[in-house]
Amino acid sequence: MGLAPSNHLIDRVFSMGAQFAHWRDYASHKRFGMLIKWHAIMPALTAALGYFPGGMLGWMEDTPRGVVRDWIAPQPRFEDAFRHGPHALTEAERATLVKGFSGLQGPTLALSVTDDEFGTASAIERLLAYFRNSPVTHLRIPPESMGYREIGHFAFFHSRFETSLWQIPLEWLKARSVRADLAQFVVKTDAR
């Protein structure tokens, strides 16, 4: 959305676990294993095969090379991924990319879960900081509060959450409200 020239037309936004994670943002108790998995194994297999065979490994879906390149970027800022290499942009072009994010003015509900090793609070906030003109509500839910042992980074969109978790963004998109019983999990609200 930040890169879409038409983002000023968006009335309301919901994101689930969306972040621009830098390796330092990974959950501290899983950071070493994630570094090996995501920054050694994943790029090596992708370089050898031209894509990442996530389905075969049971990690996730098969993933294109360009997506892997973006995911494993070592820079803590989005625009720095375009500083060098075949996709290098000038400083002015990188500034224009960042400025594009400010076009989004509709309110955003950023939902995250506390057991997401990628979508840590710092990783979520790293991305949200780019949307300077969007009023943001960051709702960070512990799975136990919803009656689940775990949710993690990838499970939210599984149909088993249709009558529970999916109702949170539905209410937000319809009425721009967060259920009163979830208010205690709002970690950030700003009107910008």
Side-chain angles (χ1 to χ4, degrees), residues 37-48:
K37 188 174 181 178
W38 290 86
H39 296 275
I41 296 170
M42 181 181 270
L45 287 174
T46 302

Side-chain angles (χ1 to χ4, degrees), residues 17-23 25-26 70-82 118-120 122-128 130:
Q19 38 47 47
F20 185 73
H22 183 254
W23 66 268
D25 293 326
Y26 296 159
D70 292 348
W71 283 353
I72 64 168
Q75 299 83 8
R77 306 253 328 139
F78 163 76
E79 64 273 19
D80 291 341
F82 302 98
F118 299 100
T120 59
S122 60
I124 302 287
E125 293 296 328
R126 185 184 302 279
L127 176 64
L128 292 176
Y130 283 96

Side-chain angles (χ1 to χ4, degrees), residues 53-126:
M56 180 179 73
L57 297 172
W59 288 10
M60 54 192 206
E61 301 299 321
D62 291 350
T63 308
R65 177 190 346 229
V67 173
V68 170
R69 179 198 65 233
D70 292 348
W71 283 353
I72 64 168
Q75 299 83 8
R77 306 253 328 139
F78 163 76
E79 64 273 19
D80 291 341
F82 302 98
R83 219 176 257 288
H84 306 288
H87 303 287
L89 300 175
T90 66
E91 188 171 331
E93 289 169 325
R94 290 192 312 276
T96 299
L97 282 179
V98 171
K99 185 178 180 188
F101 283 79
S102 65
L104 179 66
Q105 297 178 20
T108 297
L109 172 64
L111 178 60
S112 62
V113 291
T114 58
D115 69 329
D116 182 346
E117 63 269 12
F118 299 100
T120 59
S122 60
I124 302 287
E125 293 296 328
R126 185 184 302 279

